Structure formats: C-alpha cells, structure tokens
Amino acid sequence: MTKVLNQLALMLAFAALFLTSGCAFWRPDKIHYTVDTERLAPCERCAPTPAGSDFIGVALSGGGARASVFGAAAIEALAEAGIMQRVTHISSVSGGGFPAAYYALHKPEPCALSKPGDNTCNNDSITAFKQQMRHNFLTDMTLRQLVRPNRFTSPTRRLLSLRDALDNQFIGDATFADLPSKPVLLINGARYDDARRFVFSNQAIPEHEGDIAPFTEPVLQTASFSLPGCTRATPPDFSVALAIAISAGFPPLLGPAAIEAPESCLGGATRYWHLGDGGILDNTGVETLEDYALHAERGGGAIKRVIIFSFDAGRSTSPEVMMGKRNLKLWTSDPGRVVDIVGKRAQAYREVALRNYYSDSGVEFHVLRMRYTEAQIEQWPESCGVREGGAEAIKAHLETVPTNFNITDCNADLMEMAAHDLVRRTLFEHKELLDDAGLVLTAPARSAASTASGEP
C-alpha cells in the first residue's frame, strides 16, 4: 500500500510540474524584443567620442550580488575622491550592471569622509544605493516564478523574472531614453550566434570592418543594434532592466534572450540574436572600454590618455587549489568556474592582441586593476560575529563568498570594506598619474599601511 501511495505521489508531482510549466501551455520561447527599423533613426554622432582629452572609464565586473555590493562601494569611494565626476564611460558585466545602472539613473551624492579609514556614510542617497545592492534578488525572482508558473521550465522566460525584480526595486521601467548622456553606460552581453560581445549602450557603435589590428577579426568586433549600413544606439524604448538581466543571464539557468531583427537597415530576411551572460567573453568589462577608446582615437578624437578603473569581483580559484581538490561535482558545485576558465584565456589573448597597438598608437593606456581578494582587511566587521584569525583568515573567507543574487550582511560588509581599501591604496599608489591627468582628489588617498603608520 505504501509503495502504491509513493508512486501516486510521484505521478501527481510530475503532473503538477507539467501543468505549471511552459510546456503545458505549448508556447514557444519568448522573443524579448523586435527591432523596428522604421522607428529607429540613424545616430547623428556615431563615433564613440569622449568629452575632453582623457578617456576615464570604470569597469564593474560580474559576480552576482558580490559584484553588485563591491561595485556600489567602489563607485562611492571614487565619488568621495572626486573621480566619478570625470568618468566618461561605465562598462558593466552581469552583477556589475546593477550598481552601474543605479548610478546612471539616480546619481547618488558622495559622502565626505570624516577621517581616513572611516567607511561610514550618513548620506541618505548613498545609503539607499548600497542597501539596494544588498537586496535578495534570488528570493524576489523565485516569488515571481511562483506567480508566473509558465516560466519554470523555460530559461528564456525565467529571465523576465529578473527583469521584473530589477524594475520593481530601483529601475522603475526605465528605458535607454532615460539614461543621461554622461557617463555613457555600456552593458555587456555575449551573442551566442557568433561569439561576439554584444553591448547595450546609449551611444552608437559603428558596425563595420575595422582597420584597428586587434579588432579586424569579426569575432573580436563589438556587436550592437547597429546594422550594416546604419549605425544606431540601443533603441530608446529598450528596457534597461532587460539589458542587465541579459548580461547576468548565466546559462542554462537564465536565458538566452532573443531579439528579432532584419538583416540590414533596409529590411530583408529576419534574423535572431541570442544574447546572454557577458562574463563568458570578458567578465571584467575592460575590453569594451579599450575598444571604445581605440575607435575614438582612430576616429580623430582628442584622446591622449586612457585611464580605466577596473573592479574585479569575479570568482577565481588558483590552479594549485583546483589540482589539490578531488571535486567530482565541479560543474554543479561551482558552475562559475566555466566563466573563469574562458575568461582567463580571453584576457590572455586580448592582452597579446592589444600590446603592440598600445605601443604604436601614441595613446597612454592605464588600467588600474582592483580585485576584491587583494584587499587588506585587518578586522572582521561586527556583522560577522566573533571569528578567529585576522587578515589571512579574512582573505581566505573572501575567496569563498558565493556567486549568487543574494548576499549575507557579513559578506556584504566585507565587500564594501574591500572596495574602500583598494580604492584608497590604488589612488595613493598612482597619485602622480592622477595628478598629471588633472584628477584632483577631494578625499585623502592613503594606503592601508600609511594610514596605520600615520604617513601622508
């Protein structure tokens, strides 16, 4: 009798899953956006030309809520130092798109530091900014799945749950028409059809065969809403939240998104772009900024120097650690490892491809890289409770912060502390470069060591 009941319960469970799934409705997967060429006017200023003689970029990497919290604190620290006011472009990937979009849409005012090492902020706009980045988007998405059961078995429709959660929390149905012209917002995805980076931006990216050596190969060229013969920015009615969701659409859990477009600006056959997680190709967001700067320089811009502040919250496990583990559940226990592997190779090829052009272009390129695991944090925050060990224990713990759309207060506090420490030390170490670029710091730029010793 018990066996029969168990079998009946199993059959009922499968029936419930079928009835609440997309399969039960016999619906095709979602087409998320259709390009209407008649409504899209070609851009008037197509070349990505930054204002002024310096190209100042901020790159916010992927890494789920870990990257969101880290990116918000990094923006806060740069704003305190007077850097954000000079930033011309913000490039984001996956979780880094959350703070990038919030900053572009809401522009929270920076706090004035009361003393070196003080990370507290009494400014309501900054507090709201950082609190939003701690929001439990995982639970929010799950609840939306329950009220939209046809999304359960369709990753393309599940993507809409993240879009809806973002709109509800802080984006508020904003479209690309609502974005300011400065800084230019670049949201990175990947086009699964041809392995090209796909960039959503309120500034147009020309679609043509480039004459810049590193980008002559089609696979290295940036894809966007531009079509052969017509250069366009992301359509003004395109959802900002959808662009971020696509950038964060880690397969096979979320996405890909599908965009229906004609094959040229004059129409023609229908083509489908299948877009997803930008971290598959470059989880840092740096490559898009380099691409923009190089094209602007070749296009006759007045660039003489490129400075990119790169904030890397991507998960990375050293080969030594991996080889010392008997982890037969690698792909289920740490799926982000796939992105890490691809990212390492992509970064290596990119650096080789760009190195010669850097030296021949006459343009100074400076990428100031800040990785969260390299922060020097001496004490655990109160939210972590009583824990043993100092800086080394904290560093080891940072390596274990999971990649998810949810984060604990302890891990969030550590990520914020890491961002502030890294920004202060980086600004101190590169003070001569920043002074020469006219980036006058309004907050003390001190390293953690100099702060502790009382050195200026």
Side-chain angles (χ1 to χ4, degrees), residues 135-258:
H135 178 72
N136 187 343
F137 284 96
L138 179 62
T139 297
D140 202 344
M141 288 173 57
T142 303
L143 292 175
R144 291 173 189 279
Q145 299 285 78
L146 294 176
V147 299
R148 295 288 186 90
N150 65 311
R151 294 179 180 178
F152 271 126
T153 59
S154 171
T156 67
R157 289 195 287 271
R158 282 202 296 270
L159 194 71
L160 300 179
S161 292
L162 178 55
R163 179 204 64 184
D164 295 345
L166 288 165
D167 271 333
N168 182 65
Q169 277 305 119
F170 65 87
I171 293 183
D173 299 321
T175 66
F176 274 75
D178 300 313
L179 292 173
S181 59
K182 181 184 177 183
V184 175
L185 182 60
L186 307 165
I187 301 173
N188 293 271
R191 194 157 75 184
Y192 295 165
D193 313 282
D194 53 9
R196 291 172 64 185
R197 279 179 299 110
F198 190 95
V199 178
F200 300 92
S201 173
N202 52 336
Q203 189 175 76
I205 305 172
E207 174 79 7
H208 61 78
E209 294 289 333
D211 58 351
I212 302 174
F215 301 105
T216 52
E217 290 294 328
V219 72
L220 292 179
Q221 295 172 14
T222 299
S224 68
F225 277 90
S226 293
L227 297 170
C230 46
T231 300
R232 299 185 173 109
T234 297
D237 65 339
F238 196 89
S239 163
V240 174
L242 179 57
I244 297 171
I246 290 172
S247 179
F250 186 81
L253 301 177
L254 295 173

Side-chain angles (χ1 to χ4, degrees), residues 33-40 260 262:
Y33 187 83
T34 299
V35 177
D36 185 350
T37 56
E38 295 182 0
R39 295 174 54 196
L40 290 180
E260 183 178 342

Side-chain angles (χ1 to χ4, degrees), residues 168-423:
N168 182 65
Q169 277 305 119
F170 65 87
I171 293 183
D173 299 321
T175 66
F176 274 75
D178 300 313
L179 292 173
S181 59
K182 181 184 177 183
V184 175
L185 182 60
L186 307 165
I187 301 173
N188 293 271
R191 194 157 75 184
Y192 295 165
D193 313 282
D194 53 9
R196 291 172 64 185
R197 279 179 299 110
F198 190 95
V199 178
F200 300 92
S201 173
N202 52 336
Q203 189 175 76
I205 305 172
E207 174 79 7
H208 61 78
E209 294 289 333
D211 58 351
I212 302 174
F215 301 105
T216 52
E217 290 294 328
V219 72
L220 292 179
Q221 295 172 14
T222 299
S224 68
F225 277 90
S226 293
L227 297 170
C230 46
T231 300
R232 299 185 173 109
T234 297
D237 65 339
F238 196 89
S239 163
V240 174
L242 179 57
I244 297 171
I246 290 172
S247 179
F250 186 81
L253 301 177
L254 295 173
I259 293 180
E260 183 178 342
E263 62 182 351
S264 74
C265 58
L266 299 177
T270 299
R271 303 183 67 180
Y272 295 96
W273 303 334
H274 303 93
L275 311 177
D277 183 14
I280 293 176
L281 300 179
D282 174 25
N283 197 45
T284 68
V286 170
E287 182 177 343
T288 295
L289 292 174
E290 293 172 323
D291 191 358
Y292 256 62
L294 287 170
H295 277 92
E297 192 274 333
R298 291 294 288 252
I303 293 179
K304 67 176 182 180
R305 178 168 32 216
V306 176
I307 300 176
I308 298 173
F309 296 89
S310 171
F311 295 94
D312 189 356
R315 191 76 178 270
S316 180
T317 306
S318 69
E320 293 77 17
V321 172
M322 288 302 302
M323 291 177 182
K325 285 186 176 182
R326 185 177 177 271
N327 190 351
L328 301 182
K329 296 182 179 180
L330 175 64
W331 307 121
T332 56
S333 64
D334 188 12
R337 183 67 178 161
V338 179
V339 174
D340 183 38
I341 292 172
V342 177
K344 285 182 182 296
R345 289 182 62 84
Q347 182 176 346
Y349 279 115
R350 181 173 64 250
E351 290 180 353
V352 170
L354 293 174
R355 190 176 297 126
N356 290 337
Y357 185 80
Y358 284 170
S359 61
D360 296 338
S361 67
V363 179
E364 296 179 31
F365 281 84
H366 305 275
V367 181
L368 311 185
R369 301 183 186 275
M370 289 162 273
R371 181 168 174 73
Y372 76 105
T373 53
E374 297 173 355
Q376 298 176 5
I377 305 174
E378 301 293 334
Q379 295 182 338
W380 294 93
E382 292 183 3
S383 57
C384 294
V386 178
R387 301 205 182 195
E388 298 293 331
E392 289 302 316
I394 294 174
K395 181 178 179 64
H397 177 81
L398 286 173
E399 294 277 6
T400 68
V401 178
T403 303
N404 208 331
F405 290 124
N406 184 28
I407 190 169
T408 65
D409 285 337
C410 170
N411 288 337
D413 286 342
L414 285 171
M415 295 305 297
E416 289 183 1
M417 293 168 68
H420 280 272
D421 171 74
L422 289 166
V423 169

Side-chain angles (χ1 to χ4, degrees), residues 106-131:
H106 301 290
K107 282 285 177 64
E109 294 295 325
C111 295
L113 293 183
S114 58
K115 59 181 179 180
D118 182 4
N119 293 337
T120 60
C121 175
N122 295 320
N123 186 304
D124 290 341
S125 64
I126 287 288
T127 301
F129 178 24
K130 295 193 295 183
Q131 196 60 40

